[in-house]
């Protein structure tokens, strides 16, 4: 269906929020289910699950994506929950990649099902892949993921490599007392395979967890640990350390000698080195709630307007929601606490 951009409630032009940030990137959670139970992602007694009837169908996801694309969104990322537990994910990927205006389709996954899905997803048009991997130790892996096992993820990474994605990134949540002694090994593991490692500061998500000073492994400590593992290494910010690519990561190169091949790594630092001024994203939950900011609980329902009024109604709702996008977040303030929502509910 064509979208009536001339609608008074939906003036034409790209999505620009009050801070003049252009929103051109949408993360789409295709399910709130996950085959893992990562301790930092889920509250201890789990998160409420959406009723099946509330979860968007593929056609509805594509309808909403089309509205975003008509408003200037060019990059889509499939996430979750764990997106690969949604049946027929490659079919959805194919539908989204075929939308005129979509320049890039990416996927975030825990990698558990990539052995069977990497090739079909690549064939369906997924360009880039982010795979979560917090440890290379099987016992630690089982502990942090609750019910995951390491071998399928390692095999999945091999399958992903063979499938020919344009980029594969390894997402590592850096956790003090858990994997701080493994960051350099994880980086080397990634570099040896042509992947880009990215370290994420742990956010106090879910149930209003509060930020505890001293408990966080900061971006500065992450850099220091990588440097310490490579004596004489030089770490230089790429592009002045500004966000590069579609997301919020800042990139650095680690080189031991001037002539050495520099190794690229990224850091996502929502806690200690804000990137909110460059935020270009919005998040769509599996039930069609539009979250303009990860760190706040306010969201606008798009499923209702889609089911009642179709895509023109959605365009107006999207504009209204993003007109209220927050300047930034306050994860790092002592005592304020994070959002009630869990990562699993909105796709990180
Ligand atoms: N299941 C998929 C995956 O593993 O990538 C997609 C969803 S997951 C919520 C997306 C990313 O968010 C993962 O890299 C995960 O490690 C990260 N994440 C979840 N909770 C987090 C937290 N509290 N702080 C920082 N990163 C978190």
């Amino acid at each position: 269906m064509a979208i009536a951009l001339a609608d008074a409630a939906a003036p034409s032009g790209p999505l620009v929020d009050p801070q003049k940030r252009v929103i051109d990137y949408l993360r789409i959670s295709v399910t709130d289910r996950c085959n893992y139970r990562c301790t930092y992602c889920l509250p201890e007694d789990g998160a409420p699950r959406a009723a099946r009837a509330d979860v968007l169908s593929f056609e509805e996801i594509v309808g909403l994506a089309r509205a975003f694309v008509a408003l200037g969104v060019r990059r889509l990322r499939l996430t979750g929950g764990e997106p690969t537990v949604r049946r027929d994910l490659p079919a959805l990927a194919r539908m989204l990649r075929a939308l005129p205006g979509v320049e890039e389709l990416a996927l975030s996954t825990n990698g558990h099902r990539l052995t069977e899905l990497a090739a079909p997803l690549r064939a369906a048009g997924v360009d880039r892949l982010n795979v979560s991997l917090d440890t290379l130790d099987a016992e630690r892996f089982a502990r942090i993921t609750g019910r995951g096992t390491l071998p399928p993820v390692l095999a999945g990474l091999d399958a992903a490599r063979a499938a020919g994605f344009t980029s594969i990134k390894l997402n590592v949540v850096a956790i003090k007392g858990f994997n701080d002694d493994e960051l350099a090994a994880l980086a080397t593991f990634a570099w040896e395979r042509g992947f880009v490692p990215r370290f994420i500061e742990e956010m106090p998500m879910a149930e209003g967890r509060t930020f505890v000073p001293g408990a966080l492994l900061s971006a500065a400590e992450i850099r220091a640990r990588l440097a310490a593992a490579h004596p004489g290494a030089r770490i230089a910010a790429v592009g002045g350390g500004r966000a590069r690519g579609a997301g919020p990561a800042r990139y650095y190169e680690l080189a031991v000698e001037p002539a050495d091949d520099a190794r690229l790594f990224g850091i996502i630092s929502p806690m200690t080195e804000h990137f909110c001024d460059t935020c270009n994203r919005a998040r769509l939950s599996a039930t069609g709630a539009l979250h303009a900011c990860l760190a706040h609980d306010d969201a606008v329902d798009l499923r209702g307007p889609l089911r009642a009024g179709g895509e023109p109604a959605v365009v107006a709702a999207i504009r209204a929601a993003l007109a209220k996008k927050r300047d930034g977040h306050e994860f790092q303030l002592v005592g304020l606490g994070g959002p009630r929502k869990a990562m699993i509910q909105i796709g990180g």
Side-chain angles (χ1 to χ4, degrees):
M1 179 201 284
I3 292 172
L5 285 177
D7 184 321
S12 59
L15 280 172
V16 183
D17 78 0
Q19 286 72 41
K20 308 267 178 282
R21 295 170 295 194
V22 177
I23 313 302
D24 60 4
Y25 176 56
L26 179 68
R27 296 178 68 100
I28 302 173
S29 173
V30 300
T31 178
D32 65 350
R33 312 287 205 254
C34 189
N35 43 0
Y36 286 4
R37 292 287 175 272
C38 297
T39 54
Y40 49 72
C41 187
L42 263 178
E44 253 170 53
D45 10 330
R49 286 175 156 198
R52 283 212 183 273
D54 291 340
V55 173
L56 301 175
S57 67
F58 282 1
E59 288 67 27
E60 288 174 324
I61 292 173
V62 173
L64 292 181
R66 196 163 30 224
F68 278 96
V69 171
L71 291 168
V73 165
R74 293 288 168 261
R75 291 165 171 156
L76 305 176
R77 174 173 296 278
L78 300 175
T79 177
E82 171 50 40
T84 62
V85 303
R86 176 113 187 213
R87 195 190 301 245
D88 293 334
L89 185 68
L92 174 64
R94 194 175 296 282
M95 289 159 83
L96 289 170
R97 194 64 181 88
L99 283 177
V102 171
E103 291 170 6
E104 185 182 281
L105 180 63
L107 172 77
S108 288
T109 173
N110 60 29
H112 194 90
R113 298 199 61 212
L114 279 181
T115 311
E116 60 189 287
L117 284 174
L121 285 166
R122 180 66 184 124
V126 173
D127 301 287
R128 294 165 168 265
L129 208 60
N130 287 359
V131 182
S132 301
L133 184 64
D134 301 328
T135 175
L136 293 167
D137 177 278
E139 182 278 322
R140 285 185 186 181
F141 188 89
R143 185 150 41 97
I144 198 83
T145 60
R147 48 171 84 158
T149 47
L150 185 58
V153 177
L154 298 181
L157 281 168
D158 287 342
R161 220 172 142 198
F165 292 94
T166 58
S167 125
I168 300 180
K169 297 194 178 108
L170 218 61
N171 276 346
V172 180
V173 181
I175 305 167
K176 200 171 250 183
F178 174 72
N179 61 2
D180 37 5
D181 58 344
E182 262 195 279
L183 302 185
L186 282 156
T188 300
F189 172 89
W191 290 326
E192 285 172 354
R193 287 159 182 77
F195 307 155
V196 176
R198 298 198 312 172
F199 300 95
I200 309 174
E201 287 181 342
E202 189 182 359
M203 291 174 278
M205 292 291 295
E207 309 267 299
R209 276 184 213 173
T210 43
F211 167 54
V212 182
L216 176 75
L217 195 57
S218 68
E221 288 172 275
I222 294 167
R223 287 191 292 271
R225 274 163 206 268
L226 292 180
H230 299 272
R234 185 176 46 82
I235 289 184
V238 176
R242 301 296 295 172
R244 205 177 83 148
R250 292 188 172 93
Y251 286 91
Y252 301 85
E253 284 178 342
L254 182 144
V256 179
E257 308 249 332
D260 193 22
D261 270 352
R263 283 150 281 195
L264 193 68
F265 66 94
I267 297 188
I268 301 177
S269 47
M271 305 298 292
T272 65
E273 296 170 6
H274 265 218
F275 45 76
C276 296
D277 60 326
T278 61
C279 184
N280 61 345
R281 57 190 45 207
R283 293 177 158 80
L284 185 65
S285 80
T287 56
L290 174 60
H291 294 256
C293 175
L294 179 63
H296 294 280
D297 283 322
D298 44 359
V300 167
D301 173 47
L302 299 184
R303 188 187 67 221
L306 181 72
R307 290 184 181 174
E311 289 167 26
V314 169
V315 166
I318 294 171
R319 284 208 182 273
L322 293 176
K324 293 192 195 134
K325 186 169 162 71
R326 312 269 194 145
D327 299 7
H329 56 66
E330 298 99 15
F331 274 133
Q332 77 286 9
L333 297 187
V334 181
L336 189 67
R340 313 298 311 174
K341 66 191 177 195
M343 286 291 259
I344 196 170
Q345 292 170 303
I346 53 155

